[in-house]
Short mmCIF file of all heavy atoms in Angstrom, two decimals:
data_model
loop_
_atom_site.label_atom_id
_atom_site.label_comp_id
_atom_site.label_asym_id
_atom_site.label_seq_id
_atom_site.Cartn_x
_atom_site.Cartn_y
_atom_site.Cartn_z
N CYS K 1 -35.64 31.09 59.70
CA CYS K 1 -36.86 31.68 60.28
C CYS K 1 -36.93 33.13 60.15
O CYS K 1 -35.93 33.87 60.49
CB CYS K 1 -36.91 31.26 61.74
SG CYS K 1 -37.07 29.48 62.10
N GLU K 2 -38.03 33.63 59.70
CA GLU K 2 -38.29 35.05 59.62
C GLU K 2 -38.89 35.63 60.96
O GLU K 2 -39.74 35.00 61.53
CB GLU K 2 -39.29 35.36 58.51
CG GLU K 2 -38.88 35.02 57.11
CD GLU K 2 -39.91 35.38 56.07
OE1 GLU K 2 -41.10 35.06 56.39
OE2 GLU K 2 -39.59 35.88 54.98
N GLU K 3 -38.30 36.76 61.35
CA GLU K 3 -38.72 37.36 62.56
C GLU K 3 -39.58 38.65 62.38
O GLU K 3 -39.06 39.67 62.46
CB GLU K 3 -37.51 37.74 63.49
CG GLU K 3 -37.84 38.21 64.84
CD GLU K 3 -36.67 38.91 65.55
OE1 GLU K 3 -35.53 38.70 65.06
OE2 GLU K 3 -36.95 39.69 66.41
N PHE K 4 -40.82 38.39 62.19
CA PHE K 4 -41.88 39.44 62.12
C PHE K 4 -43.15 38.71 62.36
O PHE K 4 -43.29 37.46 62.41
CB PHE K 4 -41.87 40.22 60.87
CG PHE K 4 -42.22 39.49 59.64
CD1 PHE K 4 -43.60 39.47 59.18
CD2 PHE K 4 -41.32 38.85 58.85
CE1 PHE K 4 -43.96 38.80 58.03
CE2 PHE K 4 -41.63 38.13 57.70
CZ PHE K 4 -43.02 38.11 57.32
N PRO K 5 -44.23 39.43 62.77
CA PRO K 5 -45.44 38.80 63.38
C PRO K 5 -46.06 37.67 62.49
O PRO K 5 -46.66 36.78 63.07
CB PRO K 5 -46.48 40.09 63.40
CG PRO K 5 -45.53 41.12 63.72
CD PRO K 5 -44.33 40.94 62.88
N TRP K 6 -45.89 37.74 61.18
CA TRP K 6 -46.39 36.60 60.42
C TRP K 6 -45.26 35.89 59.71
O TRP K 6 -45.36 35.48 58.55
CB TRP K 6 -47.42 37.04 59.33
CG TRP K 6 -48.77 37.26 60.07
CD1 TRP K 6 -49.72 36.50 60.35
CD2 TRP K 6 -49.13 38.55 60.61
NE1 TRP K 6 -50.81 37.13 61.03
CE2 TRP K 6 -50.50 38.39 61.24
CE3 TRP K 6 -48.59 39.91 60.70
CZ2 TRP K 6 -51.12 39.41 61.83
CZ3 TRP K 6 -49.24 40.83 61.42
CH2 TRP K 6 -50.48 40.66 61.98
N GLY K 7 -44.13 35.78 60.44
CA GLY K 7 -42.91 35.21 59.76
C GLY K 7 -43.11 33.77 59.42
O GLY K 7 -43.94 33.04 59.98
N ARG K 8 -42.25 33.38 58.46
CA ARG K 8 -42.36 32.01 57.91
C ARG K 8 -41.06 31.22 58.24
O ARG K 8 -40.03 31.72 58.63
CB ARG K 8 -42.50 32.06 56.33
CG ARG K 8 -43.68 32.89 55.90
CD ARG K 8 -43.68 33.23 54.41
NE ARG K 8 -42.60 34.23 54.19
CZ ARG K 8 -42.34 34.79 53.02
NH1 ARG K 8 -42.96 34.29 51.88
NH2 ARG K 8 -41.42 35.65 52.87
N VAL K 9 -41.16 29.90 58.00
CA VAL K 9 -39.95 29.05 58.05
C VAL K 9 -39.71 28.45 56.73
O VAL K 9 -40.59 27.96 55.98
CB VAL K 9 -40.23 27.88 59.06
CG1 VAL K 9 -39.03 26.88 59.08
CG2 VAL K 9 -40.46 28.42 60.48
N PHE K 10 -38.44 28.52 56.31
CA PHE K 10 -38.04 27.94 54.98
C PHE K 10 -37.08 26.83 55.21
O PHE K 10 -36.06 27.02 56.06
CB PHE K 10 -37.41 29.00 54.08
CG PHE K 10 -38.39 30.11 53.59
CD1 PHE K 10 -38.63 31.18 54.35
CD2 PHE K 10 -39.04 29.92 52.43
CE1 PHE K 10 -39.52 32.16 53.88
CE2 PHE K 10 -39.90 30.94 51.97
CZ PHE K 10 -40.16 32.06 52.73
N GLU K 11 -37.24 25.72 54.49
CA GLU K 11 -36.25 24.67 54.58
C GLU K 11 -35.34 24.74 53.43
O GLU K 11 -35.71 24.84 52.31
CB GLU K 11 -36.96 23.26 54.55
CG GLU K 11 -35.97 22.17 54.81
CD GLU K 11 -36.74 20.80 54.98
OE1 GLU K 11 -37.93 20.70 54.72
OE2 GLU K 11 -36.00 19.89 55.47
N CYS K 12 -34.00 24.86 53.69
CA CYS K 12 -32.96 25.21 52.72
C CYS K 12 -31.83 24.13 52.58
O CYS K 12 -31.46 23.51 53.53
CB CYS K 12 -32.27 26.46 53.15
SG CYS K 12 -33.41 27.89 53.70
N ASP K 13 -31.47 23.98 51.31
CA ASP K 13 -30.32 23.15 51.08
C ASP K 13 -29.09 23.93 51.46
O ASP K 13 -28.92 25.11 51.11
CB ASP K 13 -30.29 22.87 49.60
CG ASP K 13 -29.06 21.94 49.23
OD1 ASP K 13 -27.93 22.37 49.38
OD2 ASP K 13 -29.42 20.82 48.73
N PRO K 14 -28.15 23.25 52.26
CA PRO K 14 -27.00 24.05 52.79
C PRO K 14 -25.94 24.56 51.74
O PRO K 14 -25.00 25.20 52.07
CB PRO K 14 -26.32 23.06 53.79
CG PRO K 14 -26.89 21.76 53.40
CD PRO K 14 -28.18 21.93 52.80
N LEU K 15 -26.11 24.08 50.52
CA LEU K 15 -25.23 24.52 49.44
C LEU K 15 -26.08 25.20 48.27
O LEU K 15 -25.55 25.51 47.23
CB LEU K 15 -24.52 23.33 48.76
CG LEU K 15 -23.41 22.71 49.68
CD1 LEU K 15 -22.77 21.52 48.98
CD2 LEU K 15 -22.36 23.67 50.12
N GLY K 16 -27.29 25.46 48.57
CA GLY K 16 -28.12 26.07 47.57
C GLY K 16 -28.44 25.33 46.35
O GLY K 16 -28.81 25.79 45.30
N ALA K 17 -28.21 23.96 46.40
CA ALA K 17 -28.33 23.16 45.18
C ALA K 17 -29.90 22.93 44.79
O ALA K 17 -30.19 22.70 43.65
CB ALA K 17 -27.69 21.79 45.33
N GLN K 18 -30.70 23.06 45.85
CA GLN K 18 -32.16 22.90 45.56
C GLN K 18 -32.83 24.21 46.12
O GLN K 18 -32.40 24.81 47.07
CB GLN K 18 -32.66 21.66 46.34
CG GLN K 18 -32.11 20.40 45.89
CD GLN K 18 -32.41 20.03 44.50
OE1 GLN K 18 -33.47 20.32 43.97
NE2 GLN K 18 -31.50 19.26 43.86
N PRO K 19 -33.93 24.61 45.45
CA PRO K 19 -34.63 25.83 45.94
C PRO K 19 -35.22 25.57 47.39
O PRO K 19 -35.57 24.49 47.76
CB PRO K 19 -35.81 25.92 44.94
CG PRO K 19 -35.39 25.10 43.73
CD PRO K 19 -34.54 23.99 44.26
N ALA K 20 -35.17 26.69 48.17
CA ALA K 20 -35.76 26.57 49.52
C ALA K 20 -37.27 26.39 49.42
O ALA K 20 -37.87 26.84 48.49
CB ALA K 20 -35.35 27.93 50.22
N VAL K 21 -37.80 25.81 50.44
CA VAL K 21 -39.21 25.44 50.52
C VAL K 21 -39.85 26.09 51.75
O VAL K 21 -39.41 25.89 52.82
CB VAL K 21 -39.45 23.97 50.48
CG1 VAL K 21 -40.97 23.56 50.46
CG2 VAL K 21 -38.88 23.38 49.29
N PHE K 22 -40.96 26.79 51.47
CA PHE K 22 -41.73 27.46 52.61
C PHE K 22 -42.50 26.26 53.22
O PHE K 22 -43.15 25.49 52.69
CB PHE K 22 -42.65 28.47 52.04
CG PHE K 22 -43.86 28.86 53.02
CD1 PHE K 22 -43.49 29.19 54.27
CD2 PHE K 22 -45.11 28.99 52.60
CE1 PHE K 22 -44.52 29.53 55.19
CE2 PHE K 22 -46.10 29.38 53.33
CZ PHE K 22 -45.83 29.68 54.77
N ARG K 23 -42.34 26.21 54.62
CA ARG K 23 -42.96 25.16 55.43
C ARG K 23 -44.15 25.86 56.29
O ARG K 23 -43.99 26.08 57.43
CB ARG K 23 -42.00 24.40 56.37
CG ARG K 23 -40.89 23.68 55.63
CD ARG K 23 -41.48 22.66 54.70
NE ARG K 23 -40.48 21.73 54.08
CZ ARG K 23 -40.72 20.88 53.07
NH1 ARG K 23 -41.93 20.84 52.57
NH2 ARG K 23 -39.89 20.12 52.58
N GLY K 24 -45.22 25.98 55.54
CA GLY K 24 -46.45 26.69 56.21
C GLY K 24 -46.97 26.01 57.45
O GLY K 24 -47.52 26.58 58.24
N ALA K 25 -46.95 24.64 57.51
CA ALA K 25 -47.41 23.93 58.64
C ALA K 25 -46.67 24.21 59.94
O ALA K 25 -47.28 24.00 61.01
CB ALA K 25 -47.39 22.43 58.44
N MET K 26 -45.51 24.86 59.85
CA MET K 26 -44.85 25.22 61.05
C MET K 26 -45.14 26.59 61.62
O MET K 26 -44.56 27.02 62.64
CB MET K 26 -43.25 25.16 60.69
CG MET K 26 -42.70 23.84 60.26
SD MET K 26 -40.97 23.66 60.02
CE MET K 26 -40.43 23.55 61.68
#
């Protein structure tokens, strides 16, 4: 989670095997 006024949430693979995905609906 990004901490600034329009911060985003990214869903991440815990080993970086897959690219992280921005979850805009959150």
Side-chain angles (χ1 to χ4, degrees):
C1 299
E2 295 179 319
E3 185 196 341
F4 65 93
W6 286 272
R8 301 164 292 179
V9 177
F10 292 86
E11 187 170 14
C12 312
D13 184 295
L15 291 178
Q18 300 294 327
V21 179
F22 166 46
R23 295 305 189 189
M26 300 184 78

